[in-house]
């Protein structure tokens, strides 16, 4: 599973012309070893799994560099969840290059472009937000897609994973796929030539003006690190007691209310860092500020996990301590493979005490769990109250 996550990051970077030979070399060796490792040896397997975390960290670093050099360094931005009168295209997935090309081809056509779910942080990149017809964010995490896509009056472009198959007779005729995505009956766009999608959007009814909420995103590590002095002062003055990194994939399974509840119950003197689509459970709430520092800092997509690690490492540097000595708790929700790859990177960086939920992945058998608990103090989530009490005392 970790290897699939690495492939996702590497794929996006390669589309932008960036690649690291260490990542490609690891693919073949890791896949081959799953074929040949018939005599299961826990130590060598664990080493390979941690190496997967190391390689994923490298892949995430390359992708961060690729995105920042191509689209500019992201910065905090407010994004409306409302709609504007006019034709519209909704872009879901994670691929910023697809979005950029669509923005170029729709300029001056009267079509407004909306981001969906994990595309929200696109608004934070200077080279994307400069397009005036990139007007807002519509809809949240992937599991609500069938209802949200049916309600959206315009056309829809699916750029990456976490797409659901529409029910017959709903929105398949206005659904377009690109790149690695494919949905039976949907039109596939080749070579980023968006003509059929644009024609469809123009033929569909216009969206109405509708007010929405305001979301804030774009706290790339460079933006958070620009607040480093303020953050250190607030911690030293006792105004910030603890940091919570609450992030990861969302899903439909019961038990995920845990992530909403714990974010809501985090005390007022604590800061929440978040990323990926699990944040849609709480990112429309006003968490306020501490000495001008927002209490909720949305780092971006799951593709921005490298930024989260940079923030953690920089905080440790600022406080002159190890990452595990920081007043920081990491609470991850997992669903698909990128979340697993991120977890492996955190373990490779020897970050201990991570909480994981809503359930443990199936590959964490009791034996594997024991190894992870003994080596990394990995814990399954319990309840928000019990976990907050265990963390804060
Ligand atoms: S965060 Fe995970 S579940 Fe959510 S859209 Fe991204 S890959 Fe899919």
């Amino acid at each position: 599973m970790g290897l699939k996550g690495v492939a996702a990051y590497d794929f996006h970077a390669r589309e932008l012309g960036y690649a690291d030979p260490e990542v490609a070399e690891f693919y073949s060796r890791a896949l081959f070893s799953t074929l040949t490792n018939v005599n299961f040896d826990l130590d060598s397997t664990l080493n390979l799994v941690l190496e997967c975390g190391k390689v994923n960290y490298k892949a995430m670093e390359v992708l961060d560099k690729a995105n920042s050099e191509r689209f500019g360094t992201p910065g905090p931005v407010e994004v409306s969840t409302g709609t504007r009168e006019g034709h519209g295209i909704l872009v879901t997935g994670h691929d910023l290059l697809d979005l950029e090309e669509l923005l170029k081809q729709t300029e001056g056509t009267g079509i407004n472009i909306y981001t969906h779910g994990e595309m929200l942080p696109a608004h934070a990149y200077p080279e994307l937000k400069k397009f005036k017809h990139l007007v807002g964010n519509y809809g949240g995490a992937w599991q609500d897609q069938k209802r949200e896509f049916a309600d959206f009056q315009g056309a829809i472009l699916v750029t990456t994973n976490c797409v659901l198959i529409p029910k017959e007779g709903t929105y398949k005729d206005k659904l377009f796929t690109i790149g690695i995505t494919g949905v039976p009956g949907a039109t596939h766009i080749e070579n980023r030539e968006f003509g059929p999608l644009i024609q469809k959007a123009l033929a569909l009814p216009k969206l109405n003006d509708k007010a929405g909420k305001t979301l804030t995103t774009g706290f790339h590590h460079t933006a958070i690190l620009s607040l480093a002095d303020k953050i250190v002062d607030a911690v030293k003055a006792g105004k910030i007691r603890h940091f919570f990194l609450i992030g990861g994939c969302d899903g439909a399974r019961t038990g995920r209310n845990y992530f909403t509840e714990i974010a809501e119950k985090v005390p007022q003197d604590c800061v929440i860092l978040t990323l990926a689509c699990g944040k849609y459970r709480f990112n429309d709430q006003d968490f306020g500020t501490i000495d001008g520092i927002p209490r909720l800092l949305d780092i971006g997509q799951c593709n921005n996990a490298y930024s989260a690690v940079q923030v953690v490492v920089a905080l440790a540097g600022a406080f002159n301590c190890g990452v595990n000595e920081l007043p920081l708790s990491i609470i991850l929700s997992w669903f698909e493979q990128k979340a697993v790859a991120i977890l492996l990177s955190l373990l490779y960086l020897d970050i201990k005490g991570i909480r994981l939920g809503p359930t443990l992945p199936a590959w964490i058998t009791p034996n594997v769990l024991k190894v992870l608990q003994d080596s990394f103090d990995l814990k399954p989530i319990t309840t928000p109250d019990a976990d907050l009490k265990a963390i804060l005392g």
Side-chain angles (χ1 to χ4, degrees), residues 8-9 92-94 116-119 140-143 145 160-163 247-251 256 275-280 300-303 333-339 342:
Y9 293 125
T92 191
H94 304 79
H116 175 263
E118 278 278 84
M119 292 299 282
W142 65 272
Q143 72 275 6
Q145 229 174 73
T160 64
N161 53 323
C162 301
V163 57
C249 300
D250 205 357
R256 286 185 181 265
L275 74 165
C277 74
K279 66 172 171 266
Y280 277 98
Q301 296 180 331
C302 50
N303 289 5
S333 53
W334 85 279
F335 172 70
E336 64 86 82
Q337 292 80 2
K338 275 184 273 182
I342 293 166

Side-chain angles (χ1 to χ4, degrees), residues 68-236:
S68 297
E69 288 186 358
R70 174 64 181 255
F71 306 114
T73 304
V77 64
E78 291 190 340
V79 183
S80 165
T81 64
T83 54
R84 292 203 195 159
E85 190 182 338
H87 296 291
I89 296 176
L90 184 61
V91 184
T92 191
H94 304 79
D95 197 300
L96 301 181
L97 188 57
D98 291 336
L99 176 63
E100 184 196 43
E101 193 52 45
L102 179 65
L103 285 165
K104 285 181 188 166
Q105 292 182 31
T106 48
E107 209 167 15
T109 61
I111 297 172
N112 290 319
I113 305 296
Y114 298 83
T115 58
H116 175 263
E118 278 278 84
M119 292 299 282
L120 167 66
H123 295 267
Y125 288 86
E127 290 300 311
L128 298 174
K129 78 174 178 190
K130 73 180 184 187
F131 291 95
K132 298 281 177 271
H133 62 302
L134 178 63
V135 294
N137 178 252
Y138 181 99
W142 65 272
Q143 72 275 6
D144 296 326
Q145 229 174 73
K146 288 186 180 174
R147 176 179 49 77
E148 289 169 355
F149 287 3
D151 288 349
F152 188 76
Q153 281 174 287
I156 301 154
L157 175 67
V158 176
T159 66
T160 64
N161 53 323
C162 301
V163 57
L164 299 172
I165 306 298
K167 279 190 205 142
E168 283 309 318
T170 54
Y171 54 85
K172 198 180 281 182
D173 63 322
K174 60 179 188 179
L175 191 71
F176 292 74
T177 58
I178 189 168
I180 57 140
T181 60
V183 171
T187 306
H188 192 74
I189 298 288
E190 301 286 355
N191 306 318
R192 295 195 174 93
E193 287 166 6
F194 289 111
L197 170 62
I198 292 168
Q199 292 313 314
K200 186 70 185 181
L202 291 171
L204 286 166
K206 290 182 176 177
L207 281 71
N208 302 320
D209 253 334
K210 196 171 160 201
K213 294 185 174 182
T214 300
L215 305 178
T216 305
T217 187
F219 285 95
H220 187 255
H221 62 274
T222 47
I224 297 181
L225 297 186
S226 72
L227 298 170
D229 290 348
K230 265 184 152 182
I231 292 173
V232 171
D233 288 348
V235 172
K236 286 186 176 160

